[in-house]
Amino acid sequence: MTDTVTPEGINRFWLDEVGEEGWYARSDDLDETIRQRFQPAWARAADLVPGWATTPEGALAGLILTDQFPRNMFREDARAFDTDPLARSLAREAIANGFHLRIEPPGRQFFYLPFEHSEDLADQERAVSLFAEFMPGENLRHAELHRDAIARFGRFPWRNAALNRVPTAAESRVMEAGGYGALVSGKLSLADV
């Protein structure tokens, strides 16, 4: 096993090498790097993550592996969401153990994002609550936008193509306006669709 598939290797790569500037920027090169370095570990996540979940740093690495990396490795592909249930389970356990409070921001957000990525309204409310209490600011704004989309549609319109779902007319209007980016920029309001 190489260093990059240890919790320390994952955390060093994501937090230090990629850093905040790269976490949410689309980059084909970064996506390919993640596939090359971490896809084998992601495929074994169900076996790896339970052993890592006993420390704050291990839980953080497990969350990055199961919630963040698949979104890079499998853009516009249903596999991007395959390990979401594992990520939510890990996040619940880690938060119950107080691990999230032992990781400084901005890394702390990765304990809350599995709930923000869920298409379940209760998970969305939990994401908003966690960000409001422990990481208010821009992250809270994104959590609220995600929650509001789930409250409005019951699902994320920007996942429809990857999941082969037929969009509603309102979802199509969101996507035609620019999807999530249109909501973030204020170009579109959910009240308008």
Side-chain angles (χ1 to χ4, degrees):
M1 189 176 289
T2 66
D3 179 55
T4 56
V5 292
T6 64
E8 296 79 12
I10 287 173
N11 291 341
R12 185 171 44 253
F13 171 77
W14 194 243
L15 299 176
D16 300 332
E17 291 179 43
V18 176
E20 284 185 86
E21 296 299 316
W23 291 342
Y24 304 111
R26 185 176 184 131
S27 164
D28 292 338
D29 289 340
L30 176 61
D31 293 353
E32 183 59 27
T33 297
I34 293 171
R35 274 190 292 277
Q36 292 296 317
R37 290 175 68 176
F38 301 104
Q39 190 169 349
W42 173 82
R44 298 179 47 236
D47 296 324
L48 293 173
V49 168
W52 295 354
T54 60
T55 67
E57 294 77 15
L60 175 61
L63 291 165
I64 293 167
L65 180 67
T66 58
D67 188 64
Q68 295 301 299
F69 285 174
R71 284 164 168 74
N72 288 83
M73 292 187 296
F74 306 117
R75 287 187 193 273
E76 289 140 42
D77 182 311
R79 291 176 294 172
F81 319 111
D82 281 356
T83 52
D84 282 7
L86 179 57
R88 280 192 303 278
S89 176
L90 175 58
R92 282 186 195 97
E93 180 181 340
I95 291 167
N97 289 329
F99 289 172
H100 62 128
L101 299 176
R102 294 177 50 197
I103 300 294
E104 292 297 317
R108 184 179 294 165
Q109 69 188 286
F110 300 111
F111 288 86
Y112 311 147
L113 287 173
F115 304 111
E116 184 177 318
H117 291 152
S118 173
E119 290 189 322
D120 178 82
L121 188 56
D123 287 337
Q124 289 296 322
E125 294 292 356
R126 185 163 193 195
V128 169
S129 176
L130 288 164
F131 277 116
E133 184 172 356
F134 300 111
M135 280 191 74
E138 187 64 17
N139 290 79
L140 175 58
R141 179 173 169 262
H142 286 280
E144 290 169 341
L145 285 171
H146 280 79
R147 179 206 51 208
D148 294 348
I150 293 300
R152 170 69 172 87
F153 301 111
R155 61 189 189 176
F156 294 124
W158 41 90
R159 288 190 189 170
N160 286 345
L163 296 173
N164 293 314
R165 299 188 301 210
V166 176
T168 66
E171 290 173 338
S172 292
R173 286 193 294 276
V174 169
M175 296 311 294
E176 289 163 6
Y180 183 68
L183 297 172
V184 172
S185 70
K187 176 181 171 186
L188 180 69
S189 166
L190 289 172
D192 298 332
V193 293

